[in-house]
């Protein structure tokens, strides 16, 4: 009798536990809606990973994410074709080349380190601010002038409207110009295209966010400091920016829940760090 009573209590306890699990699962998955995210290709790997995790927890929410450059993010939000505009600058304020997008709210989601990269055949491992300004302004055209081989430098840059370009120009080039040239010059539309172009073009130089850097290209030190997340955090490496999710007014519903998930300690300290982004809290 005592055994039967004990088993009944255990069964009841199990039932309560299962009910609690079911309750919490249905509470988590009761969220529904569709979120369209446009904009920054620098932030795209983070957005895609977060979307995958969030949709697993909230199967009734559908997320569609694409990247064509930072400026297309707040533009899409303004037109009402996206709930979130991923942008490598705070588009609610004026920045060089771009006016503020009125009525939009900047939700800070990541710290993005950017790196100067070169084709693997390039012998140069470090460049100074002045050398980079010379290369991108067209005053320095041969690798031998910065310690490399006697070969023409092929300059690869992002098209106007890229957040990576905005940040690289203001930080790595200290506001210096990127001058279009007749030869040995190419503009690309995304971070992925930048990596491919530099990897497949001998003597090429370019710039990209750290998440895309792998053994296909060479990362170049800046003023003697390697582009690493540790060096951004300790203050020695200066080419970085905050990444934002722009929304029309304060986010609500599924959009708010998704942004909060990306800002959560779980995601910031987990997947975000694995992707070579830096948690926002690390720079406070």
């Amino acid at each position: 009798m005592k055994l039967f009573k004990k088993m009944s209590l255990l069964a009841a306890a199990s039932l309560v536990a299962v009910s609690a699990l079911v309750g919490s699962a249905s509470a988590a998955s009761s969220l529904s809606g569709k979120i369209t995210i446009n904009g920054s290709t620098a932030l795209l790997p983070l957005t895609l990973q977060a979307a995958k995790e969030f949709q697993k927890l909230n199967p009734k929410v559908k997320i569609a994410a694409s990247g064509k450059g930072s400026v297309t993010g707040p533009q899409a939000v303004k037109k009402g074709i996206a709930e979130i505009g991923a942008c490598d600058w705070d588009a609610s304020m004026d920045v060089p080349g771009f006016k503020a997008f009125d009525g939009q709210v900047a939700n800070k989601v990541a710290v993005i380190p950017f790196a100067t990269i070169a084709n693997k055949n390039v012998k140069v491992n470090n460049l100074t601010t002045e050398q980079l300004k010379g290369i991108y302004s067209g005053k320095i055209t041969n690798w031998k002038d910065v310690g490399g081989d006697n070969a023409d430098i092929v300059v690869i840059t992002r098209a106007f409207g890229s957040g990576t370009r905005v940040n690289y120009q203001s930080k790595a080039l200290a506001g210096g110009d990127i001058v279009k040239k007749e030869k040995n010059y190419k503009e690309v539309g995304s971070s992925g295209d930048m990596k491919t172009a530099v990897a497949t073009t001998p003597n090429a130089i370019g710039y990209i966010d750290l998440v895309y850097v792998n053994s296909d290209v060479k990362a170049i030190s800046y003023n003697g400091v390697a582009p690493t997340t540790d060096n951004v955090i300790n203050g020695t490496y200066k080419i970085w920016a905050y990444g934002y999710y722009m929304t029309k007014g304060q986010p609500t519903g599924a959009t708010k829940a998704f942004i909060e998930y990306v800002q959560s300690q779980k995601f910031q300290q987990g997947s975000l760090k694995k992707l070579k982004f830096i948690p926002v809290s690390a720079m406070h």
Side-chain angles (χ1 to χ4, degrees), residues 40 43 69-72 74 85-101 106 112 114 160-167 171 241-246:
S40 164
L43 279 170
S70 278
V71 76
T72 63
C87 194
D88 304 347
W89 70 82
D90 180 349
S92 68
M93 298 162 65
D94 290 348
V95 297
F98 300 98
K99 287 276 178 206
F101 285 79
I112 315 169
F114 299 101
F160 189 71
S162 152
T164 302
R165 175 172 171 151
V166 166
N167 284 296
K171 285 151 189 167
Y242 287 112
Y244 298 88
Y245 282 167
M246 304 303 301

Side-chain angles (χ1 to χ4, degrees), residues 115-117 136 156-158 164-165 168 178 194 206-209:
T116 304
I117 55 170
Y136 276 93
I156 317 262
T157 186
R158 291 286 303 278
T164 302
R165 175 172 171 151
Y168 191 80
I178 294 176
M194 172 66 82
Y207 51 87
I208 204 166
D209 55 309

Side-chain angles (χ1 to χ4, degrees), residues 241-282:
Y242 287 112
Y244 298 88
Y245 282 167
M246 304 303 301
T247 55
K248 193 176 275 187
Q250 291 295 340
T252 58
T255 302
K256 180 174 187 273
F258 176 68
I259 293 172
E260 285 174 350
Y261 180 78
V262 175
Q263 292 171 331
S264 71
Q265 192 174 352
K266 181 195 168 197
F267 186 78
Q268 293 273 314
Q269 296 297 329
S271 298
L272 179 139
K273 277 172 89 170
K274 282 182 194 152
L275 286 168
K276 291 191 272 191
F277 290 96
I278 297 169
V280 173
S281 61

Side-chain angles (χ1 to χ4, degrees), residues 6-57:
K6 208 173 193 178
M7 284 171 71
S8 300
L9 284 168
L10 277 170
S14 301
L15 195 62
V16 169
V18 169
S19 302
L21 280 170
V22 171
S24 64
S26 62
S29 63
S30 64
L31 196 65
S32 64
K34 184 166 189 263
I35 308 168
T36 301
I37 306 168
N38 287 352
S40 164
T41 58
L43 279 170
L44 191 57
L46 177 149
T47 300
L48 292 172
Q49 180 60 31
K52 190 174 155 190
E53 293 176 22
F54 187 78
Q55 286 177 132
K56 204 171 179 181
L57 295 168

Side-chain angles (χ1 to χ4, degrees), residues 41-140:
T41 58
L43 279 170
L44 191 57
L46 177 149
T47 300
L48 292 172
Q49 180 60 31
K52 190 174 155 190
E53 293 176 22
F54 187 78
Q55 286 177 132
K56 204 171 179 181
L57 295 168
N58 302 279
K60 291 180 187 170
V61 178
K62 297 289 169 254
I63 302 175
S66 62
K68 286 200 173 117
S70 278
V71 76
T72 63
Q75 282 173 347
V77 170
K78 185 181 178 182
K79 288 175 191 165
I81 57 176
E83 284 72 41
I84 293 174
C87 194
D88 304 347
W89 70 82
D90 180 349
S92 68
M93 298 162 65
D94 290 348
V95 297
F98 300 98
K99 287 276 178 206
F101 285 79
D102 292 336
Q104 292 196 23
V105 172
N107 303 276
K108 202 180 276 184
V109 293
V111 173
I112 315 169
F114 299 101
T116 304
I117 55 170
N119 184 274
K120 281 163 72 172
N121 82 317
V122 171
K123 304 271 172 58
V124 173
N125 297 311
N126 176 67
L127 289 165
T128 65
T129 308
E130 288 310 308
Q131 286 171 331
L132 283 172
K133 282 170 85 170
I135 289 167
Y136 276 93
S137 66
K139 288 173 186 160
I140 296 174

